[in-house]
Every structure is written in C-alpha cells, then in structure tokens.
Amino acid sequence: MRKILIATEKPFAPVAIKKISKIFDKENYELVMLERYASKPELLDAVADVEAAIIRSDKFDEEVLEAGKKLKIVVRAGAGYDNVDLEAATKRNIVVMNTPGQNANAVAELAIGLAIFGLRELYSGKPGGEMRGRTLGLHGFGYVARNVFRIARAMGMKVIVYTQYSKGAAAAIGLKVTNSLEQLYEKSDIVSIHVPARGVHIKSVSYDILKHLKDGSIIVNTARKEVINEPDLIKIMEEKPGIKYMSDLTPDAEAEFVEKFPGRYFFTPKKAGAQTAEANLNAGVAAAEQIVGYFENNDATHQVNK
C-alpha cells in the first residue's frame, strides 16, 4: 500500500480533505496527515516513510528531501514552487509538480480587489478613483494574469501586457503587448505583477523600471516579494508621492513603509492570494489526482524539475 503525506502548516479545508481522501481510498493508498505542525523535526519524522507528499507553502529543502528516503513525488498545491529545493529533488530522482491554474481566479480577484482598495484611498473617506477607463499593465502573462485580464476587461479597463514567452497567446485574445517592461510601466495606471521568483525575475522590478511609472500609479504584487527590489521601490515612492504599493506579501522593509508612506501601502497579514475555499479545494484535489496519475499512468505533465 502506497503511503501519501499531506504536510500543511496551513491546513486544507475539511471538504478538500474529504475529497482528497476519497481519491486515495479508491486506489487503496494510505493517507497520513501532518497539519499545523510546530517544528521541522515533526516534518522530518512524517516524511521518512512516505512515497508522496502534498504541500502548500511548506519548505521542502534538502534536509527534508533527504529524510524522505522513499519519496518519489512531491506536489505543491498551488502555482509557485520556490519552497521546494528542485536541485536536491532532482538529485534524488524525486518528481516535483505544481498545480497550475487551480488558484488563478482567487489570486486574480485579490489583485483586482487590491487595485480598487488603492484607488479608493484605502477606504479612508478621501475621494478616490474608478477602474473603468484606466490602463492596467500585466507584468507577466500566466494563469493568474489571464484571469486578471478577464475581470479588468469586464470593468471597462484598457489592458496591456509585457511577456517574454507568451506574446502570441496574449495578442490572440486581444491584448496589446508592449515592446519592453519599461514601456509597460510607463503606460500603466495600475501594474499587476505576475512573474515567478526565479531567474531573471529576481529583483526585476528595480529603479530602472520603476522610474517610468507615472506619479499616482499603483503597483499590485500578488506574486512574490523577491521580484521587487525594495530599496528601489522605496526610493521611487519617495520621489513620486502619489505612487501606492498594494500586496499580499509583507516586505522585509515593512517598518520603513509604515514610517514613510502612511496611506500609500497595504499588506495582508499573511499571503492571501489562494486563501479561498474554492482555491483550497481545487488545488488539493488536483494534487491528489496528479499523484494518482503519476503512480498509475506515469503521467508527469506538471513536473517542474525536468
């Protein structure tokens, strides 16, 4: 009997666990639960004798992967997978997958909500603005950005995008693709960031890009804090006092934002993009189905460490 671990500091909703259990019961897999664990040793013990693991934002570093002597697959229930050491997994012949698109609508709705919150002056009572008629710039064009485009277009916004890899797909659905990232930031009233925290994207939102923003524009970041060069963001917000920064990621320089930019920033208490009942269910079920697909049919469609 295959043993499958769900290791989640942030537990899945009960309805998700019920459906995940049903998927594994059908295949006669044993499901082991490790929820709200308080220490790494608990995780190291739990992973020791399982063949697969479903995680959320939990850190699967080299030490954890080494402890999982029987591990064959780890599925991150969500899009981002920077919490898994891919090199260490590959070295141990462990397949790592994510569940792309399963929480895309949830994150997109949050991005739009943050933009509205910024435009309405954080609901402070001050006169604000409306989304309709404004230009929204998508920095990246993955699953989340495509849902942001769908919602923004329905609100009467003009939407433009900068993408290195999906220009044809963006143009095919009516999006104007800018020639450069600088041009995207220059032309946008609101910029919504949707790139992963790896490779060229690390600190890609730097002063050389941010200096092109119009004073009064809003940056929305529901991606990763590592894509932002925080000192450069602080510098441009000092130079242009109308710029706002809205995110579900608390920056390292939070104290500086609090001191310098009252009314011009908002950070959710913890990462909130995928924190909906629907996204929770979709990602958890997809992760379970992908594990079954891999073991029963050798299906590695969403493998990210090829």
Side-chain angles (χ1 to χ4, degrees):
M1 179 183 290
R2 297 191 187 277
K3 187 180 288 189
I4 316 298
L5 171 69
I6 292 183
T8 50
E9 289 181 292
K10 297 185 294 186
F12 286 105
V15 65
I17 294 298
K18 184 176 180 180
K19 291 199 174 186
I20 291 169
S21 298
K22 188 175 181 180
I23 290 168
F24 290 139
D25 285 346
K26 184 179 178 182
E27 302 298 331
N28 199 32
Y29 295 178
E30 180 184 352
L31 181 61
V32 179
M33 302 294 299
L34 179 66
E35 297 182 311
R36 295 189 180 92
Y37 56 93
S39 66
K40 192 172 185 179
E42 292 179 73
L43 178 58
L44 296 175
D45 288 342
V47 80
D49 65 344
V50 299
E51 291 185 67
I54 296 174
I55 62 174
R56 298 186 70 190
S57 298
D58 310 84
K59 299 290 186 184
F60 262 49
D61 58 16
E62 185 165 15
E63 184 182 8
V64 175
L65 293 167
E66 175 63 27
K69 299 297 185 183
K70 298 180 180 179
L71 264 182
K72 296 180 176 63
I73 178 172
V74 175
V75 181
R76 182 347 191 170
Y81 47 87
D82 48 302
N83 51 315
V84 182
D85 187 330
L86 299 187
E87 185 177 344
T90 301
K91 186 167 66 175
R92 291 164 176 77
N93 295 315
I94 299 169
V95 170
V96 181
M97 295 186 188
N98 64 347
T99 59
Q102 299 299 327
N103 59 12
N105 183 71
V107 180
E109 288 188 8
L110 178 65
I112 292 292
L114 289 172
I116 293 171
F117 192 48
L119 270 180
R120 289 299 182 96
E121 299 294 341
L122 283 60
Y123 301 149
S124 63
K126 297 177 182 178
E130 299 179 17
M131 299 283 274
R132 186 174 65 174
R134 282 183 163 78
T135 298
L136 173 69
L138 299 173
H139 180 172
F141 193 58
Y143 288 98
V144 175
R146 293 170 201 223
N147 276 276
V148 172
F149 168 58
R150 170 180 54 81
I151 298 167
R153 182 173 57 177
M155 298 177 75
M157 302 189 77
K158 178 182 177 182
V159 187
I160 59 178
V161 64
Y162 177 73
T163 174
Q164 294 177 288
Y165 309 109
S166 306
K167 294 179 181 179
I173 61 173
L175 264 169
K176 177 177 173 54
V177 181
T178 63
N179 296 321
S180 66
L181 196 52
E182 292 85 350
Q183 188 180 54
L184 180 88
Y185 277 66
E186 179 182 359
K187 291 182 175 297
S188 299
D189 299 305
I190 300 166
V191 174
S192 191
I193 300 172
H194 303 287
V195 291
R198 60 179 184 271
V200 298
H201 299 300
I202 300 292
K203 297 190 185 302
S204 61
V205 184
S206 64
Y207 186 80
D208 287 342
I209 300 300
L210 292 166
K211 70 182 181 182
H212 295 277
L213 284 169
K214 294 177 282 190
D215 198 3
S217 56
I218 296 172
I219 305 167
V220 176
N221 182 15
T222 54
R224 290 287 189 270
K225 68 179 179 180
E226 290 83 4
V227 305
I228 302 284
N229 184 313
E230 289 186 17
D232 286 2
L233 175 59
I234 289 168
K235 181 180 178 181
I236 200 66
M237 289 180 71
E238 289 174 331
E239 292 177 2
K240 298 184 179 183
I243 290 176
K244 297 188 185 79
Y245 181 58
M246 318 295 292
S247 181
D248 71 335
L249 300 135
T250 301
D252 295 330
E254 181 184 16
E256 200 165 351
F257 280 89
V258 172
E259 177 189 350
K260 294 181 176 180
F261 310 122
R264 295 175 56 198
Y265 71 89
F266 176 77
F267 315 126
T268 58
K270 59 176 65 175
K271 186 150 180 60
Q275 294 300 327
T276 68
E278 294 88 348
N280 189 279
L281 175 61
N282 293 344
V285 168
E289 290 175 341
Q290 286 170 215
I291 286 173
V292 171
Y294 177 74
F295 282 135
E296 303 303 321
N297 303 307
N298 201 31
D299 182 356
T301 300
H302 296 298
Q303 183 174 353
V304 295
N305 64 328
K306 297 178 181 179

PDB file of all heavy atoms in Angstrom, residues 1-14:
ATOM      1  N   MET A   1       0.844  -1.194   0.000  1.00  0.00           N
ATOM      2  CA  MET A   1       0.000   0.000   0.000  1.00  0.00           C
ATOM      3  C   MET A   1       0.884   1.251   0.000  1.00  0.00           C
ATOM      4  O   MET A   1       1.774   1.383   0.839  1.00  0.00           O
ATOM      5  CB  MET A   1      -0.903   0.023   1.240  1.00  0.00           C
ATOM      6  CG  MET A   1      -1.795   1.249   1.328  1.00  0.00           C
ATOM      7  SD  MET A   1      -2.793   1.311   2.832  1.00  0.00           S
ATOM      8  CE  MET A   1      -3.953  -0.030   2.529  1.00  0.00           C
ATOM      9  N   ARG A   2       0.635   2.141  -0.959  1.00  0.00           N
ATOM     10  CA  ARG A   2       1.397   3.385  -1.022  1.00  0.00           C
ATOM     11  C   ARG A   2       0.943   4.314   0.112  1.00  0.00           C
ATOM     12  O   ARG A   2      -0.241   4.412   0.403  1.00  0.00           O
ATOM     13  CB  ARG A   2       1.204   4.083  -2.362  1.00  0.00           C
ATOM     14  CG  ARG A   2       1.709   3.283  -3.557  1.00  0.00           C
ATOM     15  CD  ARG A   2       1.725   4.153  -4.807  1.00  0.00           C
ATOM     16  NE  ARG A   2       2.045   3.391  -5.993  1.00  0.00           N
ATOM     17  CZ  ARG A   2       3.275   3.083  -6.390  1.00  0.00           C
ATOM     18  NH1 ARG A   2       4.314   3.458  -5.644  1.00  0.00           N
ATOM     19  NH2 ARG A   2       3.486   2.397  -7.490  1.00  0.00           N
ATOM     20  N   LYS A   3       1.906   5.005   0.690  1.00  0.00           N
ATOM     21  CA  LYS A   3       1.597   5.927   1.773  1.00  0.00           C
ATOM     22  C   LYS A   3       1.825   7.362   1.288  1.00  0.00           C
ATOM     23  O   LYS A   3       2.905   7.685   0.774  1.00  0.00           O
ATOM     24  CB  LYS A   3       2.475   5.625   2.990  1.00  0.00           C
ATOM     25  CG  LYS A   3       2.108   6.441   4.231  1.00  0.00           C
ATOM     26  CD  LYS A   3       2.999   6.101   5.415  1.00  0.00           C
ATOM     27  CE  LYS A   3       2.667   4.731   5.968  1.00  0.00           C
ATOM     28  NZ  LYS A   3       3.393   4.496   7.268  1.00  0.00           N
ATOM     29  N   ILE A   4       0.800   8.193   1.448  1.00  0.00           N
ATOM     30  CA  ILE A   4       0.818   9.573   0.965  1.00  0.00           C
ATOM     31  C   ILE A   4       0.708  10.522   2.144  1.00  0.00           C
ATOM     32  O   ILE A   4      -0.178  10.370   2.991  1.00  0.00           O
ATOM     33  CB  ILE A   4      -0.350   9.858  -0.008  1.00  0.00           C
ATOM     34  CG1 ILE A   4      -0.530   8.709  -1.024  1.00  0.00           C
ATOM     35  CG2 ILE A   4      -0.162  11.209  -0.688  1.00  0.00           C
ATOM     36  CD1 ILE A   4       0.638   8.472  -1.933  1.00  0.00           C
ATOM     37  N   LEU A   5       1.577  11.523   2.196  1.00  0.00           N
ATOM     38  CA  LEU A   5       1.585  12.506   3.275  1.00  0.00           C
ATOM     39  C   LEU A   5       0.988  13.833   2.811  1.00  0.00           C
ATOM     40  O   LEU A   5       1.324  14.317   1.725  1.00  0.00           O
ATOM     41  CB  LEU A   5       3.021  12.742   3.746  1.00  0.00           C
ATOM     42  CG  LEU A   5       3.248  13.903   4.736  1.00  0.00           C
ATOM     43  CD1 LEU A   5       2.621  13.583   6.092  1.00  0.00           C
ATOM     44  CD2 LEU A   5       4.739  14.200   4.878  1.00  0.00           C
ATOM     45  N   ILE A   6       0.107  14.390   3.608  1.00  0.00           N
ATOM     46  CA  ILE A   6      -0.281  15.790   3.445  1.00  0.00           C
ATOM     47  C   ILE A   6       0.376  16.555   4.583  1.00  0.00           C
ATOM     48  O   ILE A   6       0.052  16.346   5.751  1.00  0.00           O
ATOM     49  CB  ILE A   6      -1.804  15.982   3.479  1.00  0.00           C
ATOM     50  CG1 ILE A   6      -2.450  15.347   2.244  1.00  0.00           C
ATOM     51  CG2 ILE A   6      -2.147  17.477   3.536  1.00  0.00           C
ATOM     52  CD1 ILE A   6      -3.955  15.549   2.173  1.00  0.00           C
ATOM     53  N   ALA A   7       1.353  17.396   4.246  1.00  0.00           N
ATOM     54  CA  ALA A   7       2.080  18.184   5.238  1.00  0.00           C
ATOM     55  C   ALA A   7       1.748  19.650   5.027  1.00  0.00           C
ATOM     56  O   ALA A   7       2.189  20.262   4.047  1.00  0.00           O
ATOM     57  CB  ALA A   7       3.580  17.952   5.109  1.00  0.00           C
ATOM     58  N   THR A   8       0.946  20.217   5.908  1.00  0.00           N
ATOM     59  CA  THR A   8       0.477  21.583   5.712  1.00  0.00           C
ATOM     60  C   THR A   8       0.429  22.354   7.032  1.00  0.00           C
ATOM     61  O   THR A   8      -0.342  22.009   7.925  1.00  0.00           O
ATOM     62  CB  THR A   8      -0.939  21.605   5.081  1.00  0.00           C
ATOM     63  OG1 THR A   8      -1.787  20.732   5.844  1.00  0.00           O
ATOM     64  CG2 THR A   8      -0.904  21.129   3.649  1.00  0.00           C
ATOM     65  N   GLU A   9       1.269  23.379   7.109  1.00  0.00           N
ATOM     66  CA  GLU A   9       1.155  24.295   8.248  1.00  0.00           C
ATOM     67  C   GLU A   9      -0.170  25.050   8.175  1.00  0.00           C
ATOM     68  O   GLU A   9      -0.765  25.378   9.199  1.00  0.00           O
ATOM     69  CB  GLU A   9       2.322  25.275   8.248  1.00  0.00           C
ATOM     70  CG  GLU A   9       3.655  24.646   8.608  1.00  0.00           C
ATOM     71  CD  GLU A   9       4.768  25.654   8.628  1.00  0.00           C
ATOM     72  OE1 GLU A   9       5.128  26.162   7.553  1.00  0.00           O
ATOM     73  OE2 GLU A   9       5.279  25.943   9.721  1.00  0.00           O
ATOM     74  N   LYS A  10      -0.592  25.359   6.930  1.00  0.00           N
ATOM     75  CA  LYS A  10      -1.907  25.968   6.691  1.00  0.00           C
ATOM     76  C   LYS A  10      -2.822  24.859   6.162  1.00  0.00           C
ATOM     77  O   LYS A  10      -2.748  24.512   4.988  1.00  0.00           O
ATOM     78  CB  LYS A  10      -1.799  27.111   5.690  1.00  0.00           C
ATOM     79  CG  LYS A  10      -0.936  28.273   6.140  1.00  0.00           C
ATOM     80  CD  LYS A  10      -0.971  29.431   5.161  1.00  0.00           C
ATOM     81  CE  LYS A  10      -0.331  29.072   3.837  1.00  0.00           C
ATOM     82  NZ  LYS A  10      -0.236  30.240   2.932  1.00  0.00           N
ATOM     83  N   PRO A  11      -3.668  24.282   6.989  1.00  0.00           N
ATOM     84  CA  PRO A  11      -4.446  23.100   6.588  1.00  0.00           C
ATOM     85  C   PRO A  11      -5.415  23.364   5.445  1.00  0.00           C
ATOM     86  O   PRO A  11      -5.899  24.488   5.256  1.00  0.00           O
ATOM     87  CB  PRO A  11      -5.219  22.746   7.867  1.00  0.00           C
ATOM     88  CG  PRO A  11      -4.452  23.361   8.968  1.00  0.00           C
ATOM     89  CD  PRO A  11      -3.873  24.627   8.397  1.00  0.00           C
ATOM     90  N   PHE A  12      -5.687  22.309   4.702  1.00  0.00           N
ATOM     91  CA  PHE A  12      -6.761  22.346   3.714  1.00  0.00           C
ATOM     92  C   PHE A  12      -8.107  22.397   4.439  1.00  0.00           C
ATOM     93  O   PHE A  12      -8.231  21.971   5.592  1.00  0.00           O
ATOM     94  CB  PHE A  12      -6.726  21.089   2.831  1.00  0.00           C
ATOM     95  CG  PHE A  12      -5.617  21.073   1.822  1.00  0.00           C
ATOM     96  CD1 PHE A  12      -4.506  20.268   2.017  1.00  0.00           C
ATOM     97  CD2 PHE A  12      -5.692  21.848   0.672  1.00  0.00           C
ATOM     98  CE1 PHE A  12      -3.477  20.240   1.089  1.00  0.00           C
ATOM     99  CE2 PHE A  12      -4.677  21.828  -0.264  1.00  0.00           C
ATOM    100  CZ  PHE A  12      -3.565  21.027  -0.062  1.00  0.00           C
ATOM    101  N   ALA A  13      -9.106  22.892   3.736  1.00  0.00           N
ATOM    102  CA  ALA A  13     -10.461  22.900   4.280  1.00  0.00           C
ATOM    103  C   ALA A  13     -10.951  21.458   4.437  1.00  0.00           C
ATOM    104  O   ALA A  13     -10.547  20.562   3.672  1.00  0.00           O
ATOM    105  CB  ALA A  13     -11.388  23.670   3.356  1.00  0.00           C
ATOM    106  N   PRO A  14     -11.814  21.193   5.406  1.00  0.00           N
ATOM    107  CA  PRO A  14     -12.328  19.831   5.614  1.00  0.00           C
ATOM    108  C   PRO A  14     -12.943  19.216   4.358  1.00  0.00           C
ATOM    109  O   PRO A  14     -12.756  18.018   4.105  1.00  0.00           O
ATOM    110  CB  PRO A  14     -13.376  20.023   6.713  1.00  0.00           C
ATOM    111  CG  PRO A  14     -12.888  21.194   7.488  1.00  0.00           C
ATOM    112  CD  PRO A  14     -12.282  22.119   6.463  1.00  0.00           C
TER     113      PRO A  14
END
